[in-house]
Amino acid sequence: MKVLVGVKRVVDPNVKVRVKADGSGVETANIKMAINPFCEIAVEQAVRMKEAGIVTEILVVTVGLPQCQETLRTAMAMGADRGILVETDVDVQPLAVAKVMKAIIAKENPQLVIMGKQAVDNDCNQTGQMVAALMGWPQATHISKVEPAGDHAEVTREVDGGLETLTIKLPAVVTADLRLNEPRYVTLPNIMKAKKKPLEVIKPDALGVDVTPRLTTLKVVEPAKRGSGVKLADVAELVNKLKNEAKVI
Amino acid sequence: MAILVIAEHDNKQLKTGTTNTIAAAAKLGADISVLVAGHQCAEAAAAAGKVPGVTKVLVADAAHYVVPLAENMAALVVSIADKFTHILAPATGFGKNFMPRVAALLDVAQISDISGIESADTFVRPIYAGNVLATVQSKDKIKVITVRITAFDPSTAAAGTAGSENVAVVADSGLTQFKGHELTKSARPELSAARVIVSGGRGMGSGENFKILEALADKLGAAVGASRAAVDSGFVTNDYQVGQTGKIVAPELYIAVGISGAIQHLAGMKDSKVIVAINKDAEAPIFSVANYWLVEDLFKAVPELTAAL
């Protein structure tokens, strides 16, 4: 079975982001970037399925700036076989990415698409669902387990209040949640090996996809800070404050 | 303008997020229809008709809507979408699952997790774990929106009396089959609806130790939550997780115990009215958002607090 994994390059989640002085966006120049953590989990899942003999080939795809090649190399160092960068300097939004994915799926015919449930920059949580919609495929978002079996897969989803199990027909799109797996660390020999793996760069036009953003960001600001609190001496003082000052108990 | 809100419910009652979403819709200033898709869901539909601000309830009752599978929900919403300019659902596990599917089928952008409404086409939404607020404008003909439920309080106006009508159901997609639920059984309130939340982090040390939080929670009538670190460490299951990629909460009182306060956790709780932090590390970043904090060993302070209440 062939698997396609979508990945995104984001600001490293451990970096505190700053709003640009003109309020037009978030400062990303000279900031440490990383593979989106949920995309990393998606790659890991594909690699584990290949190691288990279920998957034969892992294709990893991203959309964005030339630097996104680094993200593909990271995925290939983890074990993906080859990569495609759909290169554009447009700030691509989920619907555009989904259309790019659809065009690539049409050429590559994967049986399963694995993506992260959300990217930790724009926190949209949309792209996997949109790919499934455009393909007319089933979807399973926020999964903590996936077991393909013939023409279908058994999946467990993280839902509010617990877990949900579904049987989905293949081909399908699934999106990874936190507990699906714990991604491996990439080793130096694997980083070297990944440099020799095939990486194709194409433009959205070549796929016939219009990636023009649909939403316009008018401004970005930092939220209001919370007022500073007070350190208390002991539990008795805390109970007193909660009862008499905050009046919440 | 005409607004459609997709109700989250269990066929009997509305989930709390539905009323918050209707409150957000009311800010747009147009007629609000509420879609109740379910099976034997008359009770939920009746409840929707009573929510202040609702003009009409649309009911789609069929066996395959007994659980809201994304493929079926999206097909149903799309089948009636052309009558509306705005389609809203709560940004809970429910809405996050099928709304992007609706948007893609309509070839429009989705505006995720809005926390503010500036006008009929301009919305505020948190990005980067809530460290940045973006104001975005949509020129699409239909605005598909998920709503951060903690950002909109339910209306306190008198109950409404909206009538209901049936809408044609769309055949089961057959793509996905529901097998079962394994829901955390708890007598405590749900995280997203709780007035008080007691949350534990890596400092709890084990799942077993969460018992001391549960005792405190039971005294306060509180829900129990956790940081991602506690979920990662296997102390509790993922449905406890409060944070950027877990649940977003804003209770009256949030007690963070043994939680250092990574930005991903703060993203999920910093809009709480009163925040209490208990941590033995005097430098823990959680203190930067806390109203009150104690630098103490949680294994001493928490039982003391429970006893003092």
Side-chain angles (χ1 to χ4, degrees):
Chain A
M1 178 164 91
K2 182 170 172 178
V3 169
L4 189 158
V5 182
V7 296
K8 187 177 187 186
R9 178 175 180 262
V10 297
V11 172
D12 185 295
N14 298 312
V15 170
K16 171 125 178 59
V17 293
R18 289 206 166 69
V19 169
K20 284 182 187 167
D22 64 0
S24 64
V26 166
E27 195 57 72
T28 52
N30 302 316
I31 302 268
K32 189 176 176 223
M33 305 296 281
I35 182 171
N36 176 50
F38 290 97
C39 300
E40 197 177 14
I41 296 172
V43 174
E44 175 66 30
Q45 190 61 30
V47 175
R48 287 188 189 194
M49 288 164 71
K50 191 176 177 197
E51 287 167 346
I54 303 164
V55 165
T56 49
E57 188 190 12
I58 304 167
L59 169 63
V60 57
V61 178
T62 194
V63 188
L65 298 171
Q67 296 91 313
C68 295
Q69 289 192 31
E70 295 161 20
T71 315
L72 294 176
R73 294 289 176 204
T74 303
M76 290 191 278
M78 290 175 70
D81 295 298
R82 63 192 178 92
I84 298 177
L85 165 62
V86 180
E87 192 185 292
T88 171
D89 56 6
V90 173
D91 180 22
V92 282
Q93 294 176 351
L95 184 61
V97 175
K99 288 178 179 180
V100 167
M101 295 287 283
K102 182 188 178 190
I104 291 178
I105 290 167
K107 291 209 285 190
E108 298 281 348
N109 293 310
Q111 280 295 100
L112 183 66
V113 173
I114 313 180
M115 307 181 76
K117 72 165 179 176
Q118 106 188 42
V120 298
D121 49 4
N122 283 323
D123 288 332
C124 278
N125 194 332
Q126 299 177 10
T127 310
Q129 295 91 314
M130 287 181 156
V131 174
L134 297 180
M135 297 305 300
W137 287 0
Q139 68 176 58
T141 53
H142 304 190
I143 62 161
S144 56
K145 196 171 169 189
V146 54
E147 288 177 346
D151 64 352
H152 64 278
E154 304 289 331
V155 296
T156 303
R157 301 182 56 231
E158 305 270 359
V159 296
D160 294 344
L163 302 173
E164 175 181 276
T165 46
L166 301 174
T167 303
I168 56 173
K169 283 191 178 157
L170 296 178
V173 179
V174 298
T175 71
D177 209 327
L178 185 62
R179 293 197 303 167
L180 183 60
N181 59 54
E182 203 169 314
R184 67 198 62 199
Y185 289 103
V186 293
T187 60
L188 191 59
N190 284 336
I191 292 171
M192 301 311 288
K193 252 190 259 172
K195 288 184 178 166
K196 299 200 182 75
K197 291 184 178 177
L199 193 165
E200 188 186 348
V201 179
I202 47 179
K203 300 278 183 186
D205 288 352
L207 296 169
V209 177
D210 176 7
V211 294
T212 311
R214 296 293 188 85
L215 297 180
T216 311
T217 300
L218 301 180
K219 65 171 176 184
V220 302
V221 296
E222 285 181 17
K225 295 264 181 290
R226 287 183 72 94
S228 55
V230 287
K231 180 181 166 183
L232 306 177
D234 53 29
V235 166
E237 193 183 0
L238 175 61
V239 172
N240 179 34
K241 291 277 189 190
L242 291 177
K243 274 192 176 143
N244 302 315
E245 190 175 86
K247 297 188 171 67
V248 286
I249 57 170
Chain B
M1 278 200 351
I3 304 162
L4 177 65
V5 171
I6 320 297
E8 181 175 1
H9 62 87
D10 62 6
N11 294 308
K12 303 270 184 262
Q13 290 174 316
L14 299 178
K15 296 281 177 78
T16 48
T18 303
T19 45
N20 302 65
T21 304
I22 292 167
K27 288 191 188 287
L28 290 162
D31 282 356
I32 300 172
S33 299
V34 176
L35 174 65
V36 179
H39 186 46
Q40 296 169 346
C41 55
E43 231 175 287
K50 294 192 183 105
V51 179
V54 175
T55 323
K56 195 195 290 176
V57 179
L58 306 174
V59 183
D61 194 322
H64 61 278
Y65 296 136
V66 68
V67 289
L69 296 175
E71 298 82 0
N72 289 334
M73 287 300 294
L76 176 65
V77 174
V78 168
S79 76
I80 57 171
D82 62 354
K83 297 181 185 68
F84 300 98
T85 54
H86 295 74
I87 303 176
L88 284 75
T92 55
F94 167 81
K96 287 175 184 173
N97 191 33
F98 71 87
M99 287 292 270
R101 200 167 172 113
V102 171
L105 292 173
L106 296 172
D107 193 31
V108 301
Q110 173 176 294
I111 309 134
S112 291
D113 206 16
I114 64 162
S115 60
I117 296 173
E118 304 270 291
S119 71
D121 66 5
T122 305
F123 309 92
V124 179
R125 56 179 305 266
I127 56 174
Y128 288 93
N131 287 301
V132 179
L133 296 175
T135 304
V136 295
Q137 186 174 41
S138 164
K139 289 293 182 195
D140 284 323
K141 60 188 187 305
I142 301 177
K143 276 68 169 168
V144 173
I145 295 166
T146 61
V147 175
R148 174 167 292 209
I149 57 178
T150 55
F152 299 91
D153 292 328
S155 166
T156 51
T161 53
S164 73
E165 64 182 59
N166 291 323
V167 294
V169 303
V170 177
D172 188 352
S173 77
L175 295 172
T176 299
Q177 209 186 338
F178 173 74
K179 304 297 277 187
H181 270 143
E182 196 181 306
L183 299 180
T184 306
K185 287 192 180 58
S186 170
R188 297 187 194 96
E190 275 184 55
L191 265 179
S192 48
R195 198 187 71 84
V196 180
I197 294 174
V198 179
S199 264
R202 199 194 306 272
M204 295 306 299
S206 73
E208 180 68 18
N209 289 340
F210 263 71
K211 281 191 178 146
I212 65 169
L213 295 189
E214 289 165 3
L216 175 59
D218 289 342
K219 266 279 178 72
L220 291 164
V224 176
S227 69
R228 176 171 166 171
V231 174
D232 266 354
S233 305
F235 300 170
V236 290
T237 53
N238 197 43
D239 51 303
Y240 283 71
Q241 196 203 148
V242 172
Q244 179 184 18
T245 63
K247 293 193 176 69
I248 310 288
V249 299
E252 297 268 304
L253 173 60
Y254 188 92
I255 304 181
V257 181
I259 292 177
S260 63
I263 52 173
Q264 290 80 6
H265 184 73
L266 302 186
M269 46 64 80
K270 67 185 165 64
D271 293 326
S272 306
K273 190 161 159 255
V274 175
I275 297 173
V276 171
I278 301 173
N279 202 304
K280 66 182 176 195
D281 173 10
E283 305 294 322
I286 188 81
F287 295 143
S288 71
V289 299
N291 299 76
Y292 306 114
W293 71 88
L294 285 174
V295 181
E296 265 197 56
D297 179 5
L298 68 94
F299 295 104
K300 173 174 168 285
V302 173
E304 252 182 62
L305 180 57
T306 308
L309 292 170

